[in-house]
Amino acid sequence: MNELAKEVSKFHEKLKSRRTNWDNHWEEVAYFVVPQKDNVYVKQRRSRGEKKSNKANLFDSTAIHSNELLAAALHGMLTNPSTFWFELSTGNPEIDKQDDVKLWLQRSVSRIHQVLNNSNFQTEIHEVFLDLGSFGTSSMRIEEDDELIMRFHARPINEMYIQENAKGTIDTVSREYVYTGRQILQQFGEEVFTQEELMKIKRDEMKEWDIIHLVRPRSDYDDRKKNQKNKPYASIHVLKTLHVLLKESGFDEFPYIVPRWSKISGETYGRSPAMKALPDIKMINQVMKATIQSAQKMVDPPLQVPDDGVLLPLKTSPGSLNYYRAGTKDRIEPLNTQGRPDLGFQLMEQIKLQIRQSFFIDQLQLNEGPQMTATEVIQRTEEKLRLLGPLLGRLHFELLKPLIDRVFGIMARKEQLPANAPQILQGQDLEVRFSSMIARAQKTSELDNLNRGMQTIGGLMEADPSIYDNIDGDEIVKFVGDTLNLPQELFRKDKEREELRAQRQQAEQQASERQAALEQGQAANQMAQATRAEEGI
C-alpha cells in the first residue's frame, strides 16, 4: 500500500463527507430542473440507459425551460463564438497604446478565439452554463491535445470535490470517477501494480473500479527544476479500493475551471437561481397536478349509479350501452364536483412568472413595443445587460479569466501564438479583459457620456470656435476604437498618420504656392496690358 495513495484517499473522504448536505440538495434540484442529470447524487449509481424522469410527480417544465434559456443566454452573451469576447492587456496603458503591442495583442486574441472555436469548447461550455443555473457550481477540465491543441471536458457535479485557499479561490479538486479494469491497464499500464494487485484487476477486466484524481498546489514547487513531478500543481491518480498510486505528474496551470453562480460566506459550493426558485418550482408541480385532476373530472366526471338499478359492469367508453331494470326511475348521472381549473391556470401563470424572474428571463428577453425605433431597442437591450453585470462579475473572475490563462499557457508552450512579439512584452504578465456583450454594454455608457459632452461643446463652439483647440481628435478616435474593441488593422499607426498629414500639408503648400504664382502671373499680365493701353500700344 502506497503511503501517498493512502493519504490522498483519506483526504478525498474528508472532502466527500463535507459535501453530504449538498448531495441531497442537488438531488432535488436535478429532479425538477435538469431531469436528464438526475444521477448527480452519489447515493445510488444509476444503470446506463435507464429512463430519466420516470417519477410520477413532475408535471411542469417551466423551470427546465427557464434554465435552458438562461444557459443559452449566458453562452451568447459571454462566450459568443461569432465575436471576440475578451482582450489581452499588459495592465500598463502607456505600453498598450504602442501600435506594435496593440497589434500583437489583438492578433493573439484572434488566434486564441480561432483555436477555441475549432475545438469542442462551445459544446462543453454550454454544459457548464446549464450546471451553473441549476446546481450553482460547475466544472470543466482543460487538457492539452495533439489534434485540437486543447480539449475541454465539462465534468458532472457528482464527481467533483473542491477546496478553497485562504483567498477564497478554488485551487484543489479531488475527482472520483470510474474505469473498468481494461481501461485502467490501457491508461496507466501494468507496471504500477504488484503481481497480486494485477491478478485482481485481470480477473474481471469489465469490473468497474473507483479512481481518485487529486489536483492541488505543490507545496515544494521549485521553478528551477524542470520535470513532470515539479510543476506548480500536483496531479495524483489513485485506485481507491486498493490504494494504488497509478500516476503522479503535474500541471503548469490549474486544469480545472470551477465557477460558482453565487456563494454564501462560509460555504464552498455555490448556490443557483434554481435553488432560489425551488419552492415555486415544487408548488407549480402540485398546482399543475391538482389542475389536471380537476380538468379530468370535468371532462370525464365521476358517475352516480343506483345500487340496484343498473346491470353491472358499468361501461364508460364512448358509444357503450348500460342496461337498467324496467320500472326504476334512477339514472346514471354525472357527479358535479364544481371544479374550477381556470383558477388553477391563473395561479400557475403567476408562479411561472416568479420562476422566470428567478432565472432572469425577464431581463434576458426584450419585449419590443410596436412603436419602438431601432435606437430604442438597442438602448433597452443595453440597459438590461447592464443590470446583469453585477450578477455575472463572479463568472468573469472564476470562469473566463482562469479559462483564458490556461488556454494562453497551453498555446504558448505549443508555439501557437503569433510570432515576433514586441521586445517590450518579454517577461511581461498579461491581463485578461472582457469585451462580451455584457462588458460592451457596460462600456457604452462611456460613449453616451462622450456623445453628450461633444453635443454640449459643439453648442459652445458656435459662439467661440477657438474652444475646438481644447479637443484632441486623435485621442477621441482611439477612445472610441478601444471602447468598442475595433480591430487595430482599421487604424493607421501614429507614424503613418503623421507621414500622411505631412504629405497632405506639403501638397497643400505646393498647391498654395502654385495658386500664388498663378495669381501673381495674372496680376503682372493685367498690369502689362494696362500699361500698354495707357501708352496707346
Side-chain angles (χ1 to χ4, degrees):
M1 180 182 296
N2 185 281
E3 289 299 322
L4 177 59
K6 186 177 180 180
E7 175 196 340
V8 169
S9 298
K10 185 181 296 185
F11 177 73
H12 177 80
E13 290 304 316
K14 288 182 180 179
L15 293 182
K16 193 172 184 178
S17 64
R18 295 177 181 178
R19 209 192 71 175
T20 304
N21 291 336
W22 290 100
D23 290 335
N24 298 328
H25 203 172
W26 291 337
E27 176 182 358
E28 196 170 33
V29 170
Y31 173 69
F32 287 105
V33 183
V34 276
Q36 71 273 21
K37 294 188 177 185
D38 61 353
N39 59 341
V40 295
Y41 48 94
V42 294
K43 294 178 183 177
Q44 179 181 359
R45 186 169 293 162
R46 289 185 176 271
S47 302
R48 293 180 174 87
E50 181 179 347
K51 182 180 178 181
K52 302 291 186 180
S53 304
N54 54 357
K55 296 182 181 179
N57 59 342
L58 188 59
F59 296 95
D60 183 81
S61 61
T62 302
I64 299 173
H65 184 55
S66 297
N67 187 54
E68 291 173 350
L69 284 177
L70 176 60
L74 293 175
H75 191 182
M77 291 188 299
L78 293 178
T79 57
N80 194 323
S82 62
T83 60
F84 294 133
W85 45 269
F86 66 94
E87 306 169 26
L88 295 177
S89 168
T90 63
N92 187 330
E94 296 302 321
I95 297 178
D96 287 348
K97 287 181 179 179
Q98 298 183 21
D99 293 329
D100 55 344
V101 171
K102 186 180 294 185
L103 184 60
W104 188 87
L105 291 177
Q106 287 195 351
R107 287 178 176 173
S108 298
V109 168
S110 178
R111 178 57 182 152
I112 294 173
H113 187 264
Q114 179 185 8
V115 169
L116 289 175
N117 285 349
N118 289 337
S119 69
N120 65 331
F121 170 73
Q122 295 299 337
T123 56
E124 296 301 302
I125 195 66
H126 182 67
E127 291 295 318
V128 170
F129 290 136
L130 282 173
D131 285 353
L132 272 175
S134 53
F135 303 119
T137 306
S138 59
S139 65
M140 182 168 65
R141 180 178 173 179
I142 309 172
E143 58 187 27
E144 299 185 24
D145 186 80
D146 295 333
E147 181 181 353
L148 299 176
I149 302 177
M150 66 195 72
R151 192 175 294 274
F152 300 84
H153 301 275
R155 305 313 312 169
I157 192 64
N158 68 309
E159 294 182 355
M160 310 300 293
Y161 302 87
I162 60 178
Q163 187 180 49
E164 295 178 333
N165 60 17
K167 298 179 181 179
T169 302
I170 295 174
D171 66 348
T172 300
V173 165
S174 185
R175 174 185 167 224
E176 182 176 339
Y177 63 100
V178 174
Y179 260 9
T180 63
R182 181 169 177 265
Q183 291 173 323
I184 291 174
L185 296 178
Q186 289 175 338
Q187 182 72 21
F188 302 104
E190 298 183 0
E191 61 275 7
V192 299
F193 299 100
T194 64
Q195 192 63 32
E196 180 182 357
E197 293 166 346
L198 188 60
M199 289 180 60
K200 292 180 179 179
I201 297 293
K202 287 188 173 182
R203 188 175 301 152
D204 182 4
E205 291 192 350
M206 295 307 295
K207 179 182 176 180
E208 293 183 337
W209 299 80
D210 291 325
I211 299 176
I212 298 172
H213 180 210
L214 176 64
V215 179
R216 62 185 177 187
R218 192 181 295 277
S219 58
D220 57 348
Y221 170 65
D222 186 352
D223 58 0
R224 295 171 297 180
K225 299 178 182 179
K226 304 297 182 182
N227 58 68
Q228 287 295 323
K229 291 186 179 181
N230 183 63
K231 290 196 173 185
Y233 291 92
S235 172
I236 307 169
H237 291 263
V238 172
L239 187 61
K240 182 178 177 181
T241 307
L242 303 179
H243 298 295
V244 176
L245 180 63
L246 298 175
K247 182 180 179 181
E248 183 181 5
S249 58
F251 295 100
D252 294 283
E253 305 89 15
F254 193 52
Y256 287 101
I257 311 300
V258 189
R260 295 162 291 185
W261 179 266
S262 66
K263 190 177 78 72
I264 296 177
S265 178
E267 294 183 345
T268 303
Y269 295 90
R271 293 185 178 269
S272 67
M275 294 176 179
K276 178 182 177 182
L278 195 56
D280 289 328
I281 296 171
K282 291 181 178 180
M283 182 187 298
I284 198 171
N285 273 276
Q286 294 300 317
V287 174
M288 176 65 83
K289 179 180 179 180
T291 303
I292 292 173
Q293 291 174 339
S294 177
Q296 285 178 325
K297 290 177 182 178
M298 296 184 68
V299 174
D300 187 12
L303 302 177
Q304 299 181 94
V305 183
D307 60 349
D308 60 352
V310 179
L311 299 179
L312 299 178
L314 191 65
K315 301 174 183 178
T316 59
S317 58
S320 60
L321 299 175
N322 287 288
Y323 297 95
Y324 63 92
R325 294 182 179 86
T328 61
K329 295 182 179 180
D330 294 325
R331 297 288 188 272
I332 301 174
E333 297 178 349
L335 176 62
N336 189 357
T337 60
Q338 302 295 324
R340 292 289 306 276
D342 57 316
L343 296 179
F345 285 115
Q346 292 177 12
L347 178 59
M348 282 190 294
E349 286 302 316
Q350 180 62 34
I351 302 174
K352 286 182 179 182
L353 177 61
Q354 294 172 189
I355 294 174
R356 294 190 185 102
Q357 289 176 341
S358 296
F359 283 92
F360 307 97
I361 304 304
D362 56 328
Q363 295 182 18
L364 297 173
Q365 293 183 335
L366 178 65
N367 297 321
E368 299 182 17
Q371 305 300 323
M372 288 177 61
T373 64
T375 303
E376 289 175 330
V377 171
I378 294 174
Q379 290 176 344
R380 289 197 183 186
T381 301
E382 291 178 348
E383 183 62 31
K384 290 196 172 189
L385 292 178
R386 290 189 192 108
L387 294 175
L388 286 173
L391 297 171
L392 302 177
R394 178 179 289 275
L395 297 186
H396 283 172
F397 179 72
E398 292 190 347
L399 172 63
L400 302 182
K401 185 182 184 305
L403 166 69
I404 299 302
D405 287 343
R406 171 69 169 157
V407 170
F408 187 92
I410 292 176
M411 292 183 62
R413 287 190 293 275
K414 289 182 171 289
E415 299 182 349
Q416 293 294 322
L417 295 172
N420 303 321
Q423 185 64 31
I424 196 171
L425 292 179
Q426 301 300 323
Q428 187 78 242
D429 291 333
L430 298 181
E431 297 179 358
V432 182
R433 297 178 179 176
F434 303 101
S435 53
S436 62
M437 186 182 298
I438 291 179
R440 287 197 300 271
Q442 302 289 332
K443 286 184 176 181
T444 52
S445 60
E446 300 177 9
L447 287 181
D448 293 340
N449 293 334
L450 175 63
N451 289 331
R452 287 193 295 269
M454 293 304 296
Q455 290 175 1
T456 303
I457 294 173
L460 297 175
M461 285 193 298
E462 293 180 1
D464 184 4
S466 64
I467 292 178
Y468 186 77
D469 298 337
N470 294 282
I471 305 298
D472 190 336
D474 293 337
E475 291 300 319
I476 291 178
V477 172
K478 290 181 179 179
F479 173 78
V480 172
D482 292 340
T483 302
L484 297 179
N485 194 31
L486 299 178
Q488 181 62 21
E489 287 85 351
L490 299 179
F491 300 92
R492 289 190 174 93
K493 297 181 178 180
D494 291 345
K495 184 178 180 180
E496 294 176 352
R497 183 193 63 215
E498 296 305 322
E499 290 177 352
L500 180 63
R501 287 177 175 174
Q503 293 173 3
R504 183 185 300 117
Q505 185 177 5
Q506 183 179 2
E508 291 174 352
Q509 183 176 356
Q510 292 175 351
S512 177
E513 292 174 352
R514 287 195 298 269
Q515 182 65 27
L518 179 61
E519 291 176 354
Q520 290 177 359
Q522 290 176 348
N525 187 32
Q526 291 175 357
M527 290 180 62
Q529 291 178 356
T531 302
R532 288 195 296 269
E534 291 178 356
E535 295 176 353
I537 299 176

